[in-house]
């Protein structure tokens, strides 16, 4: 196992010396929510102060449009989405994406009607999608497990209706795999 102490020490010293550079003025408060489901929820995506999506075990997808007062079943048609949902992206109260994992396969589903219906937009039997982000309403990126010794980097330019492998996928040995939905896409 690598010794990460020097990096942590430097980062800690930087945070102590220069905290304003790393802090945000977040006027948010946290309050418990009753999701109304006994299923484990693995991921959530807050779109704004009122709209949030959550997903998890056994294809569970929930959505709120009132700041969490009421959580609605956003996958009311069982069987379309199967497996555990580990990653999610949402653009608004109607458009969202979820990814599932089963054995060594992964799928990406999209809804455009608040979860009343979902359709398959990507499938792969050679690895998992570990994160998905939309840069805007048309362009997005998904990152997954290596396929043929290259990291599975997928791109969309049509609002997530289709996903294509990036032409510049890095070799698998050059990047350490991260946890689900743990990357950020920033554009200049």
């Amino acid at each position: 196992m690598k010794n990460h102490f020097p990096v942590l020490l430097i980062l800690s010293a930087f945070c102590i010396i220069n905290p304003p550079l790393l802090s945000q003025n977040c006027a948010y408060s946290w309050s418990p929510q009753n999701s109304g489901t006994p299923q484990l929820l693995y991921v959530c995506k807050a779109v704004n102060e009122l709209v949030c999506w959550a997903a998890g075990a056994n294809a569970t997808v929930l959505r709120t449009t009132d700041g969490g007062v009421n959580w609605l079943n956003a996958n009311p048609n069982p069987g379309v989405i199967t497996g555990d949902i580990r990653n999610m992206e949402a653009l608004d109260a109607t458009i969202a994406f979820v990814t599932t994992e089963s054995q060594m396969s992964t799928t990406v589903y999209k809804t455009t009607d608040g979860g009343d219906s979902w359709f398959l937009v990507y499938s792969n039997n050679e690895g998992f999608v570990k994160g998905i982000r939309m840069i805007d309403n048309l362009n997005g990126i998904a990152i997954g497990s290596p396929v043929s010794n290259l990291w599975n980097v997928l791109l969309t330019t049509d609002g997530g209706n289709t996903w294509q492998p990036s032409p510049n996928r890095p070799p698998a040995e050059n990047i350490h795999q991260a946890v689900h939905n743990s990357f950020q896409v920033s554009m200049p």
Side-chain angles (χ1 to χ4, degrees), residues 47-108:
V47 176
N48 57 40
E49 65 277 358
L50 296 176
V51 176
C52 184
W53 295 74
N58 299 313
T60 300
V61 184
L62 304 173
R63 178 178 61 100
T64 182
T65 57
D66 58 12
V69 174
N70 297 293
W71 288 88
L72 306 172
N73 181 359
N75 186 17
N77 300 308
V80 176
I81 300 174
T82 59
D84 291 344
I85 297 170
R86 299 287 184 162
N87 307 293
M88 170 176 273
E89 173 68 309
L91 297 177
D92 55 35
T94 59
I95 300 172
F97 300 86
V98 297
T99 74
T100 64
E101 297 178 0
S102 176
Q103 300 297 324
M104 277 304 293
S105 66
T106 191
T107 52
V108 178

Side-chain angles (χ1 to χ4, degrees), residues 41 45 53 60-61 63 74 83 85 94 122 143 145 162 172-173 179:
L41 298 174
K45 172 65 181 201
W53 295 74
T60 300
V61 184
R63 178 178 61 100
I85 297 170
T94 59
Y122 178 79
I143 297 177
S145 302
T162 60
E173 68 269 5
V179 295

Side-chain angles (χ1 to χ4, degrees), residues 143-163:
I143 297 177
S145 302
V147 174
S148 302
N149 291 324
L150 295 174
W151 284 100
N152 193 15
V153 179
L154 304 170
L155 303 174
T156 183
T157 57
D158 63 2
N161 294 318
T162 60
W163 295 83

